[in-house]
Amino acid sequence: MPRDSRTIPLPYADRFAAVAATMPGQNLPWLRDLRAQAIERVRQSGLPTIRNERWKYTNLNALAAAAFEPAAPEASSESPGPLPPLLGGCRVMFVDGLYRADLSAGSLPRGVTLTSQAALLRENPARARALFADHDAGADSLGALNLAFARDGYIIEIAGGANVEEPIELLHLTTPGTTAAAYHTRNAIIVQTGSSAAVIETFLHDAATVYWAQPVTEIRVGPGATLRHYKDQNEGAKAFHTATTDVRVAEKGRYENFVLTTGAVLSRNEIAVILDGRGASCRLDSAYLARGRQHADNTTSIIHAKPQTTSAEVYKGVLDDQARGVFQGRIVVEKDAQKADGHQLNKTILLSDRAEIDTKPELEIFADDVKCSHGAAAGELDEDALFYLRARGIGQADARRMLVEAFVGETLENISNLAVRAAFERRIGAWMSTGGEPA
Amino acid sequence: MGMLEIKNLHVTVDGKPILKGLDLRVGAGEVHAIMGPNGSGKSTLAYVLAGREGYEVTDGAVLYEGRNLLDLAPEERAREGIFLAFQYPVEIPGVGSNSFLKAAVNAVRKHRGLPEYDAMEFLKLIREKRDQIGVGEDMLKRSLNVGFSGGEKKRAEVLQMTLLEPRLAILDETDSGLDIDALKVVAKGVNALRSPERAMLMITHYQRLLDYVVPDFVHVLSDGRIAASGGKELALTLEKEGYISHRRPAAEPAAPRA
């Protein structure tokens, strides 16, 4: 039978039937229907192939072929292993895609509430229903897959007027030894009028087991509110990580995002921001470091829907061995978004002649009084700079590390939370000093 | 035996012969000036000694303190005491001047079996030295050489040289792009480094620098070889007569002077 070359069948979707009865909230008819519709959509449409423009550079064949199993419905009794030191005063733990109050530490700052998705479905299904209705992430097949399979996730709310300086840390781990499990979390961060907060999400795994992490996160930044959202993607070397973040920013609100990517054999970090009120702004930055045969895809979309909205974006990559990077950056300025200001830059250093970067800026401008720019560059480390450092006695490896850190450091300066910035600097230094193929 | 002995050195760049049998001997405590027109191979000599890639030695030998210099990587040469003051110091955005200096000084000290400086000790050292050279504190807070004026770049090179305490300093066109006041500041820094243990090789197109840093020996480089050698008075002759009388007969006409 001829198959549509724009889709890849995903056998994993058929595993839904076996776990449906164990899904939280499956007793709620509206949710049962939503999930049934979602899984049907995945069965019909499969995963996108590279014939699909949005997936032109990222091939999901290996992901579709891996025989994933839905994550266990109950929390593992095994320890997730040693934990990294706390970044701030509180940590919210997720293990195997499930919220673990027992492993979380510290108390949330004043004005911050956190509810797990499973608890919300149990305790306040009406509110859960409203959140599901508000989030149309089921539109594409990965979104639909998450809608069907997500067992848990977090809903973080920052109360109006609260100013939370200390970063709220979310740590996502998987139990060592579990093989070929898929973890789907469904999350929301709601920042109310005039408040501000910082959230750092860390995805961490040391062991070389195959798994798939698929977080879907919906973010609402209220009028005059600010969210600083950081992500450290340090997944295991054989992991798949496909993340989707949808952000809507209200009048004079601000969203800042920084993603540090070093992990996973295949990762796709997709962020879509709608600047939906006059004077709303965002900044998206990233450092992606890959070696071996890693594939790191960053796909962003920023829609300037209202006047005087501003966006800035700097994505910087360092690729070694046969690693491949992808940057797709779309900026849309809608007809009414006069005086919009959008700037995008993607720069990559290729440390090996077999490394590859595919970069695709897309600007769609429908207003006439706007300032928009984009730029992309890829090249080797500057040989003149390398020789200059070595001619002063600095060894070749150290000189290369200094130049890479300097290159990436320019984006780190955009991280306004200093504790997070320092942690990311250490991570980048550690990445440079490990070298070689990931385990 | 001299500190540096260059014998019959032949070097090609992109297959094109640049140095064609250069002989030079530099002893400890001596200051040598290498003068010559553009294209004579002056900067090639500097880069070959510092170990830059892309300069192929096709014949001859370079001995530094009795060892084969050409076997050493650039950083090993630097740690062994060779310092090249660049004609065009490289701007490196994102690498802080201070942290660069500390990394360089500690790499060299470690190699020489000396304890590495911690942040406080280094700060103290750098305060003392930078005032001697006229390098402002604000310069060291910036990225390495980024946004430095021509004079600032050359002063920064002299500060690096002062901190790294080389045994053989090679100054490549250190006078270029400097006005007379800047030249005097740089020359003062260079003169402060003259010592019986330290040799210097000054590569220059013009005689002007030699008024302020007076050499013991002057050599004329022409078409890839030393065409004439003498004392400091040779530089004055060149100033009057130009390089033409020292040009070696060449198979092809030399490039016109800029």
Side-chain angles (χ1 to χ4, degrees):
Chain A
M1 192 178 69
R3 186 161 56 78
D4 182 354
S5 64
R6 292 165 63 91
T7 69
I8 314 165
L10 183 66
Y12 169 65
D14 296 328
R15 304 292 303 133
F16 182 71
V19 295
T22 70
M23 298 301 291
Q26 193 67 0
N27 58 322
L28 304 164
W30 61 268
L31 185 54
R32 195 165 57 229
D33 289 349
L34 265 183
R35 283 176 176 150
Q37 289 158 18
I39 205 69
E40 190 50 33
R41 211 173 313 150
V42 181
R43 277 217 198 87
Q44 280 172 16
S45 60
L47 294 178
T49 68
I50 55 171
R51 296 277 303 272
N52 182 310
E53 186 61 28
R54 285 180 62 223
W55 292 88
K56 191 174 173 182
Y57 305 109
T58 295
N59 188 328
L60 295 177
N61 281 335
L63 177 71
F68 289 112
E69 280 294 318
E74 300 297 332
S76 167
S77 56
E78 277 181 60
S79 158
L83 303 178
L86 278 174
L87 261 174
C90 71
R91 168 183 285 162
V92 178
M93 282 277 293
F94 279 80
V95 180
D96 303 337
L98 301 176
Y99 171 56
R100 292 290 296 270
D102 56 324
L103 296 173
S104 298
S107 52
L108 291 165
R110 275 171 70 93
V112 181
T113 55
L114 179 137
T115 318
S116 79
Q117 187 75 254
L120 189 71
L121 285 168
R122 226 169 24 239
E123 290 153 17
N124 193 350
R127 169 96 169 110
R129 187 175 190 176
L131 285 172
F132 271 81
D134 192 36
H135 188 191
D136 187 27
D140 67 4
S141 48
L142 278 172
L145 193 76
N146 181 279
L147 185 54
F149 275 107
R151 287 192 171 278
D152 210 350
Y154 58 80
I155 294 106
I156 292 176
E157 285 185 81
I158 316 295
N163 272 297
V164 184
E165 283 291 320
E166 199 175 349
I168 302 159
E169 187 184 344
L170 295 155
L171 180 58
H172 301 264
L173 298 176
T174 50
T175 305
T178 320
T179 52
Y183 309 108
H184 311 269
T185 50
R186 194 169 181 84
N187 315 298
I189 304 175
I190 298 153
V191 192
Q192 305 286 13
T193 306
S195 61
S196 69
V199 171
I200 170 157
E201 294 200 73
T202 302
F203 294 83
L204 183 65
H205 197 72
D206 288 331
T209 52
V210 176
Y211 63 92
W212 178 12
Q214 197 221 358
V216 168
T217 307
E218 176 74 6
I219 292 171
R220 293 278 182 270
V221 180
T226 298
L227 178 65
R228 301 189 173 92
H229 188 198
Y230 309 109
K231 172 170 161 181
D232 182 359
Q233 194 272 82
N234 190 11
E235 301 274 22
K238 290 183 179 168
F240 293 85
H241 180 100
T242 58
T244 313
T245 306
D246 287 306
V247 187
R248 195 175 283 271
V249 187
E251 191 179 341
K252 290 187 179 155
R254 179 165 178 81
Y255 177 70
E256 295 179 9
N257 178 289
F258 190 103
V259 180
L260 172 61
T261 295
T262 62
V265 65
L266 183 148
S267 65
R268 163 114 158 176
N269 195 70
E270 196 168 335
I271 303 175
V273 181
I274 301 175
L275 298 173
D276 203 23
R278 182 182 286 268
S281 66
C282 73
R283 92 152 297 136
L284 308 181
D285 298 286
S286 177
Y288 50 97
L289 317 175
R291 56 166 70 100
R293 289 176 173 275
Q294 284 180 290
H295 179 107
D297 177 334
N298 285 289
T299 294
T300 67
S301 160
I302 298 170
I303 297 176
H304 292 256
K306 295 286 157 59
Q308 291 164 21
T309 44
T310 58
S311 69
E313 199 174 2
V314 179
Y315 273 62
K316 285 198 163 187
V318 180
L319 304 173
D320 203 351
D321 305 322
Q322 296 178 67
R324 186 172 175 195
V326 176
F327 175 76
Q328 304 187 102
R330 180 168 171 253
I331 298 176
V332 178
V333 180
E334 291 184 349
K335 186 162 80 338
D336 296 335
Q338 300 297 355
K339 308 275 183 200
D341 189 310
H343 300 282
Q344 177 192 91
L345 182 65
N346 173 225
K347 283 170 109 175
T348 307
I349 284 182
L350 302 170
L351 295 177
S352 143
D353 54 11
R354 290 178 303 166
E356 178 182 329
I357 174 75
D358 296 288
T359 179
K360 185 178 74 178
E362 269 181 280
L363 267 59
E364 298 168 35
I365 297 170
F366 302 102
D368 48 27
D369 183 13
V370 302
K371 269 193 258 174
C372 273
S373 70
H374 69 88
E380 298 169 8
L381 275 186
D382 181 349
E383 285 296 326
D384 289 341
L386 202 54
F387 174 66
Y388 188 79
L389 296 178
R390 293 177 73 192
R392 296 298 178 253
I394 297 169
Q396 187 164 17
D398 284 340
R400 282 166 71 97
R401 187 177 48 72
M402 284 173 85
L403 293 180
V404 165
E405 285 177 6
F407 170 75
V408 177
E410 207 186 329
T411 66
L412 291 176
E413 283 170 21
N414 294 321
I415 298 179
S416 30
N417 186 292
L418 297 179
V420 174
R421 191 196 296 182
F424 281 13
E425 278 170 1
R426 285 193 298 275
R427 283 262 293 117
I428 290 165
W431 185 87
M432 278 305 293
S433 54
T434 49
E437 299 226 356
Chain B
M1 192 171 63
M3 175 186 280
L4 179 73
E5 298 205 29
I6 304 176
K7 293 173 190 161
N8 191 33
L9 186 64
H10 287 70
V11 174
T12 63
V13 179
D14 293 329
K16 186 174 173 243
I18 305 291
L19 298 184
K20 303 168 184 174
L22 186 143
D23 293 289
L24 184 68
R25 189 191 159 110
V26 178
E30 298 172 357
V31 174
H32 291 242
I34 307 266
M35 302 185 71
N38 289 335
S40 58
K42 299 191 305 291
S43 281
T44 296
L45 176 62
Y47 283 139
V48 167
L49 294 177
R52 191 181 191 124
E53 278 178 31
Y55 293 81
E56 195 192 347
V57 176
T58 53
D59 199 3
V62 180
L63 295 180
Y64 170 66
E65 298 189 326
R67 296 174 63 188
N68 182 358
L69 182 70
L70 303 176
D71 282 349
L72 302 179
E75 57 268 35
E76 292 170 322
R77 300 181 195 199
R79 293 169 194 168
E80 289 290 339
I82 290 184
F83 182 94
L84 169 63
F86 282 61
Q87 183 179 5
Y88 302 108
V90 183
E91 297 191 7
I92 310 185
V95 172
S97 296
N98 253 326
S99 59
F100 157 76
L101 288 172
K102 183 160 170 277
V105 169
N106 278 339
V108 168
R109 284 181 69 85
K110 191 177 171 189
H111 180 76
R112 293 175 190 169
L114 298 166
E116 294 180 37
Y117 288 122
D118 67 25
M120 288 308 292
E121 291 167 332
F122 189 73
L123 195 68
K124 190 162 165 269
L125 174 76
I126 209 142
R127 276 199 187 125
E128 177 191 314
K129 300 290 185 188
R130 70 160 197 250
D131 291 343
Q132 294 172 12
I133 320 283
V135 170
E137 189 178 359
D138 58 314
M139 270 171 71
L140 298 181
K141 284 182 177 162
R142 283 184 261 164
S143 287
L144 185 54
N145 293 325
V146 175
F148 290 15
S149 70
E152 285 175 330
K153 281 181 181 164
K154 297 297 167 79
R155 289 207 298 273
E157 292 290 288
V158 175
L159 175 64
Q160 290 175 28
M161 184 162 78
T162 306
L163 290 167
L164 293 176
E165 302 179 322
R167 286 202 287 277
L168 173 63
I170 305 157
L171 287 77
D172 188 9
E173 306 275 4
T174 291
D175 51 332
S176 70
L178 297 186
D179 63 29
I180 199 71
D181 291 330
L183 179 66
K184 282 180 182 169
V185 173
V186 167
K188 189 176 154 220
V190 173
N191 281 324
L193 288 171
R194 290 182 80 150
S195 90
E197 295 82 38
R198 182 171 289 136
M200 288 191 189
L201 201 54
M202 287 193 294
I203 290 170
T204 180
H205 189 110
Y206 300 105
Q207 187 268 341
R208 193 177 66 148
L209 174 67
L210 308 185
D211 289 342
Y212 298 94
V213 183
V214 180
D216 302 307
F217 303 95
V218 174
H219 310 275
V220 179
L221 185 60
S222 175
D223 193 30
R225 292 179 63 174
I226 301 292
S229 295
K232 62 185 179 220
E233 65 289 345
L234 178 58
L236 297 168
T237 320
L238 288 171
E239 180 82 344
K240 284 200 208 87
E241 299 173 13
Y243 290 112
I244 201 78
S245 58
H246 297 283
R247 184 165 292 152
R248 294 171 66 228
E252 50 190 309
R257 280 178 60 173

